[in-house]
Short mmCIF file of all heavy atoms in Angstrom, two decimals:
data_model
loop_
_atom_site.label_atom_id
_atom_site.label_comp_id
_atom_site.label_asym_id
_atom_site.label_seq_id
_atom_site.Cartn_x
_atom_site.Cartn_y
_atom_site.Cartn_z
N CYS A 1 -119.53 -98.06 323.02
CA CYS A 1 -119.46 -98.31 324.38
C CYS A 1 -118.79 -99.72 324.66
O CYS A 1 -119.10 -100.65 324.01
CB CYS A 1 -120.91 -98.37 324.95
SG CYS A 1 -120.96 -98.56 326.73
N GLY A 2 -117.73 -99.64 325.54
CA GLY A 2 -117.05 -100.90 325.92
C GLY A 2 -117.77 -101.72 326.95
O GLY A 2 -118.79 -101.29 327.53
N PRO A 3 -117.20 -102.89 327.23
CA PRO A 3 -117.84 -103.79 328.06
C PRO A 3 -117.95 -103.46 329.51
O PRO A 3 -118.99 -103.80 330.20
CB PRO A 3 -117.04 -105.13 327.95
CG PRO A 3 -115.70 -104.69 327.43
CD PRO A 3 -116.01 -103.50 326.59
N LYS A 4 -116.98 -102.78 330.05
CA LYS A 4 -117.03 -102.42 331.49
C LYS A 4 -118.04 -101.38 331.76
O LYS A 4 -118.88 -101.31 332.66
CB LYS A 4 -115.64 -102.00 332.06
CG LYS A 4 -114.67 -103.15 332.08
CD LYS A 4 -113.29 -102.67 332.47
CE LYS A 4 -112.23 -103.82 332.47
NZ LYS A 4 -110.92 -103.35 332.78
N ALA A 5 -118.06 -100.37 330.80
CA ALA A 5 -119.05 -99.29 330.96
C ALA A 5 -120.39 -99.79 330.71
O ALA A 5 -121.44 -99.49 331.43
CB ALA A 5 -118.72 -98.18 329.91
N PHE A 6 -120.60 -100.72 329.67
CA PHE A 6 -121.86 -101.28 329.44
C PHE A 6 -122.42 -102.04 330.70
O PHE A 6 -123.57 -101.97 330.95
CB PHE A 6 -121.86 -102.22 328.22
CG PHE A 6 -123.19 -102.59 327.70
CD1 PHE A 6 -123.93 -101.76 326.77
CD2 PHE A 6 -123.87 -103.71 328.25
CE1 PHE A 6 -125.15 -102.15 326.40
CE2 PHE A 6 -125.10 -104.07 327.84
CZ PHE A 6 -125.76 -103.31 326.85
N SER A 7 -121.63 -102.84 331.27
CA SER A 7 -121.98 -103.61 332.48
C SER A 7 -122.43 -102.77 333.57
O SER A 7 -123.36 -102.93 334.30
CB SER A 7 -120.80 -104.49 333.01
OG SER A 7 -120.52 -105.49 332.04
N THR A 8 -121.68 -101.51 333.76
CA THR A 8 -122.06 -100.56 334.84
C THR A 8 -123.31 -99.95 334.53
O THR A 8 -124.24 -99.77 335.36
CB THR A 8 -120.92 -99.55 335.11
OG1 THR A 8 -119.73 -100.26 335.23
CG2 THR A 8 -121.21 -98.65 336.16
N LEU A 9 -123.63 -99.60 333.26
CA LEU A 9 -124.86 -98.99 332.87
C LEU A 9 -125.96 -100.01 333.02
O LEU A 9 -127.10 -99.60 333.61
CB LEU A 9 -124.81 -98.51 331.35
CG LEU A 9 -123.89 -97.31 331.16
CD1 LEU A 9 -123.72 -97.15 329.64
CD2 LEU A 9 -124.47 -95.99 331.72
N ALA A 10 -125.80 -101.24 332.64
CA ALA A 10 -126.84 -102.27 332.77
C ALA A 10 -127.17 -102.51 334.25
O ALA A 10 -128.26 -102.62 334.66
CB ALA A 10 -126.39 -103.60 332.15
N ALA A 11 -126.15 -102.48 335.11
CA ALA A 11 -126.43 -102.61 336.53
C ALA A 11 -127.21 -101.59 337.17
O ALA A 11 -127.98 -101.80 338.01
CB ALA A 11 -125.01 -102.76 337.36
N ALA A 12 -127.08 -100.36 336.51
CA ALA A 12 -127.87 -99.20 336.98
C ALA A 12 -129.21 -99.11 336.26
O ALA A 12 -130.02 -98.12 336.36
CB ALA A 12 -127.10 -97.96 336.73
N LYS A 13 -129.47 -100.08 335.37
CA LYS A 13 -130.71 -100.19 334.57
C LYS A 13 -130.89 -99.04 333.63
O LYS A 13 -131.98 -98.49 333.36
CB LYS A 13 -131.95 -100.30 335.47
CG LYS A 13 -131.94 -101.58 336.32
CD LYS A 13 -133.27 -101.81 337.09
CE LYS A 13 -133.36 -103.00 337.90
NZ LYS A 13 -132.34 -103.86 338.19
N ILE A 14 -129.80 -98.63 333.13
CA ILE A 14 -129.71 -97.61 332.07
C ILE A 14 -129.60 -98.19 330.73
O ILE A 14 -128.74 -99.04 330.39
CB ILE A 14 -128.49 -96.61 332.25
CG1 ILE A 14 -128.61 -95.81 333.60
CG2 ILE A 14 -128.41 -95.50 331.14
CD1 ILE A 14 -127.50 -94.98 334.01
N LYS A 15 -130.59 -97.90 329.86
CA LYS A 15 -130.62 -98.36 328.44
C LYS A 15 -129.51 -97.79 327.65
O LYS A 15 -129.30 -96.55 327.85
CB LYS A 15 -131.98 -98.16 327.85
CG LYS A 15 -133.08 -98.85 328.63
CD LYS A 15 -134.38 -98.37 328.06
CE LYS A 15 -135.59 -98.94 329.01
NZ LYS A 15 -136.76 -98.23 328.75
N VAL A 16 -128.97 -98.48 326.61
CA VAL A 16 -127.97 -97.91 325.80
C VAL A 16 -128.33 -98.00 324.39
O VAL A 16 -128.83 -99.09 323.87
CB VAL A 16 -126.65 -98.72 326.03
CG1 VAL A 16 -125.51 -98.18 325.16
CG2 VAL A 16 -126.24 -98.63 327.49
N VAL A 17 -128.14 -96.95 323.58
CA VAL A 17 -128.26 -96.88 322.21
C VAL A 17 -126.98 -96.54 321.59
O VAL A 17 -126.29 -95.53 321.95
CB VAL A 17 -129.42 -95.70 321.83
CG1 VAL A 17 -129.48 -95.58 320.31
CG2 VAL A 17 -130.71 -96.03 322.42
N LEU A 18 -126.55 -97.35 320.64
CA LEU A 18 -125.16 -97.22 320.02
C LEU A 18 -125.36 -96.85 318.55
O LEU A 18 -126.41 -97.01 317.95
CB LEU A 18 -124.41 -98.51 320.13
CG LEU A 18 -124.09 -98.97 321.57
CD1 LEU A 18 -123.35 -100.31 321.60
CD2 LEU A 18 -123.25 -97.90 322.28
N SER A 19 -124.11 -96.48 317.95
CA SER A 19 -124.02 -96.09 316.56
C SER A 19 -124.85 -94.89 316.07
O SER A 19 -125.10 -94.72 314.87
CB SER A 19 -124.37 -97.35 315.71
OG SER A 19 -123.62 -98.45 316.05
N ALA A 20 -125.20 -94.03 316.97
CA ALA A 20 -125.94 -92.84 316.62
C ALA A 20 -124.86 -91.78 316.22
O ALA A 20 -123.73 -91.85 316.64
CB ALA A 20 -126.80 -92.28 317.77
N GLN A 21 -125.25 -90.92 315.33
CA GLN A 21 -124.38 -89.77 314.97
C GLN A 21 -125.26 -88.56 314.50
O GLN A 21 -126.38 -88.75 314.15
CB GLN A 21 -123.38 -90.16 313.96
CG GLN A 21 -123.98 -90.85 312.66
CD GLN A 21 -122.93 -91.38 311.73
OE1 GLN A 21 -121.84 -90.81 311.66
NE2 GLN A 21 -123.23 -92.43 311.05
N GLY A 22 -124.63 -87.47 314.58
CA GLY A 22 -125.31 -86.20 314.15
C GLY A 22 -125.35 -85.13 315.34
O GLY A 22 -124.64 -85.34 316.35
N LYS A 23 -126.17 -84.24 315.17
CA LYS A 23 -126.29 -83.12 316.24
C LYS A 23 -127.20 -83.81 317.36
O LYS A 23 -128.07 -84.53 317.10
CB LYS A 23 -126.93 -81.86 315.71
CG LYS A 23 -125.98 -81.23 314.58
CD LYS A 23 -126.44 -79.83 314.32
CE LYS A 23 -125.69 -79.18 313.33
NZ LYS A 23 -124.25 -79.14 313.55
N VAL A 24 -126.94 -83.32 318.56
CA VAL A 24 -127.53 -83.85 319.78
C VAL A 24 -129.11 -83.79 319.63
O VAL A 24 -129.78 -84.80 319.79
CB VAL A 24 -127.16 -83.17 321.05
CG1 VAL A 24 -128.03 -83.53 322.19
CG2 VAL A 24 -125.68 -83.46 321.36
N ASN A 25 -129.69 -82.60 319.21
CA ASN A 25 -131.05 -82.45 319.22
C ASN A 25 -131.70 -83.28 318.06
O ASN A 25 -132.87 -83.79 318.20
CB ASN A 25 -131.48 -80.96 319.06
CG ASN A 25 -130.93 -80.33 317.85
OD1 ASN A 25 -129.98 -80.81 317.12
ND2 ASN A 25 -131.46 -79.16 317.51
N GLU A 26 -130.93 -83.53 316.92
CA GLU A 26 -131.43 -84.39 315.87
C GLU A 26 -131.58 -85.81 316.38
O GLU A 26 -132.46 -86.56 315.97
CB GLU A 26 -130.59 -84.23 314.66
CG GLU A 26 -130.57 -82.82 314.04
CD GLU A 26 -129.55 -82.69 313.00
OE1 GLU A 26 -128.62 -83.53 312.86
OE2 GLU A 26 -129.47 -81.56 312.33
N VAL A 27 -130.52 -86.21 317.08
CA VAL A 27 -130.52 -87.65 317.55
C VAL A 27 -131.55 -87.84 318.60
O VAL A 27 -132.22 -88.92 318.54
CB VAL A 27 -129.06 -87.89 318.20
CG1 VAL A 27 -129.01 -89.22 318.88
CG2 VAL A 27 -128.04 -87.88 317.11
N VAL A 28 -131.86 -86.90 319.51
CA VAL A 28 -132.91 -87.06 320.34
C VAL A 28 -134.22 -87.21 319.64
O VAL A 28 -135.11 -88.09 319.99
CB VAL A 28 -133.01 -85.89 321.38
CG1 VAL A 28 -134.33 -85.80 322.22
CG2 VAL A 28 -131.79 -86.00 322.34
N GLY A 29 -134.42 -86.38 318.66
CA GLY A 29 -135.63 -86.47 317.83
C GLY A 29 -135.84 -87.81 317.21
O GLY A 29 -136.91 -88.41 317.16
N ARG A 30 -134.77 -88.36 316.64
CA ARG A 30 -134.85 -89.71 316.10
C ARG A 30 -135.11 -90.78 317.07
O ARG A 30 -135.88 -91.74 316.79
CB ARG A 30 -133.51 -89.98 315.32
CG ARG A 30 -133.34 -89.13 314.09
CD ARG A 30 -132.30 -89.65 313.00
NE ARG A 30 -131.12 -90.19 313.59
CZ ARG A 30 -129.94 -89.49 313.64
NH1 ARG A 30 -129.91 -88.29 313.26
NH2 ARG A 30 -128.86 -90.18 314.06
N TYR A 31 -134.57 -90.71 318.31
CA TYR A 31 -134.82 -91.68 319.33
C TYR A 31 -136.27 -91.61 319.71
O TYR A 31 -136.90 -92.64 319.82
CB TYR A 31 -133.86 -91.41 320.54
CG TYR A 31 -134.15 -92.41 321.62
CD1 TYR A 31 -133.80 -93.70 321.54
CD2 TYR A 31 -134.78 -91.93 322.81
CE1 TYR A 31 -134.13 -94.60 322.63
CE2 TYR A 31 -135.07 -92.79 323.83
CZ TYR A 31 -134.74 -94.12 323.73
OH TYR A 31 -134.98 -95.00 324.77
N LEU A 32 -136.76 -90.45 320.00
CA LEU A 32 -138.16 -90.26 320.34
C LEU A 32 -139.17 -90.73 319.33
O LEU A 32 -140.25 -91.23 319.64
CB LEU A 32 -138.39 -88.88 320.83
CG LEU A 32 -137.72 -88.36 322.06
CD1 LEU A 32 -137.90 -86.88 322.40
CD2 LEU A 32 -138.00 -89.26 323.32
N ALA A 33 -138.76 -90.64 318.04
CA ALA A 33 -139.60 -91.10 316.96
C ALA A 33 -139.49 -92.60 316.77
O ALA A 33 -140.18 -93.09 315.83
CB ALA A 33 -139.24 -90.39 315.70
N GLY A 34 -138.70 -93.31 317.58
CA GLY A 34 -138.51 -94.75 317.45
C GLY A 34 -137.58 -95.21 316.35
O GLY A 34 -137.58 -96.35 315.96
N GLU A 35 -136.78 -94.33 315.80
CA GLU A 35 -135.75 -94.64 314.75
C GLU A 35 -134.46 -95.23 315.25
O GLU A 35 -133.76 -95.71 314.43
CB GLU A 35 -135.55 -93.41 313.93
CG GLU A 35 -136.82 -92.88 313.20
CD GLU A 35 -136.59 -91.55 312.59
OE1 GLU A 35 -135.37 -91.21 312.29
OE2 GLU A 35 -137.59 -90.86 312.25
N LEU A 36 -134.22 -95.15 316.53
CA LEU A 36 -133.00 -95.72 317.11
C LEU A 36 -133.29 -96.79 318.11
O LEU A 36 -134.23 -96.58 318.94
CB LEU A 36 -132.12 -94.54 317.80
CG LEU A 36 -131.79 -93.39 316.88
CD1 LEU A 36 -131.06 -92.31 317.76
CD2 LEU A 36 -130.87 -93.88 315.82
N ASP A 37 -132.63 -97.89 318.04
CA ASP A 37 -132.83 -99.06 318.87
C ASP A 37 -131.81 -99.16 320.03
O ASP A 37 -130.69 -98.92 319.82
CB ASP A 37 -132.88 -100.32 318.03
CG ASP A 37 -134.03 -100.29 317.02
OD1 ASP A 37 -135.10 -99.88 317.33
OD2 ASP A 37 -133.75 -100.87 315.94
N GLU A 38 -132.39 -99.70 321.09
CA GLU A 38 -131.47 -99.99 322.21
C GLU A 38 -130.66 -101.23 321.85
O GLU A 38 -131.06 -102.05 321.08
CB GLU A 38 -132.30 -100.26 323.51
CG GLU A 38 -133.04 -99.04 323.93
CD GLU A 38 -134.20 -99.32 324.84
OE1 GLU A 38 -134.34 -100.47 325.32
OE2 GLU A 38 -135.04 -98.45 325.05
N THR A 39 -129.46 -101.40 322.48
CA THR A 39 -128.68 -102.46 322.21
C THR A 39 -128.53 -103.40 323.47
O THR A 39 -128.90 -102.96 324.55
CB THR A 39 -127.21 -102.05 321.83
OG1 THR A 39 -126.46 -103.16 321.35
CG2 THR A 39 -126.52 -101.34 323.00
N ASP A 40 -128.04 -104.63 323.22
CA ASP A 40 -128.05 -105.56 324.38
C ASP A 40 -126.58 -105.90 324.73
O ASP A 40 -126.30 -106.86 325.46
CB ASP A 40 -128.77 -106.84 324.06
CG ASP A 40 -128.32 -107.54 322.87
OD1 ASP A 40 -127.41 -107.09 322.20
OD2 ASP A 40 -128.85 -108.60 322.51
N GLY A 41 -125.65 -105.16 324.19
CA GLY A 41 -124.26 -105.39 324.51
C GLY A 41 -123.26 -104.37 323.96
O GLY A 41 -123.73 -103.55 323.13
#
């Protein structure tokens, strides 16, 4: 995620998780299990 998009997401109070990869349902499972962290930039 680039800086302009990140700023827009932050302004909307949307959290961002970066560097994830794999199938969508697997990534959701990892996020809900606390294995993926939100980023601050």
Side-chain angles (χ1 to χ4, degrees):
C1 185
K4 292 177 185 176
F6 190 89
S7 294
T8 306
L9 290 166
K13 299 188 179 7
I14 297 175
K15 299 171 190 167
V16 180
V17 175
L18 298 176
S19 301
Q21 54 186 327
K23 295 192 183 305
V24 169
N25 60 344
E26 294 168 354
V27 171
V28 168
R30 291 198 319 262
Y31 177 72
L32 294 175
E35 297 173 16
L36 300 175
D37 296 322
E38 297 159 13
T39 189
D40 60 358

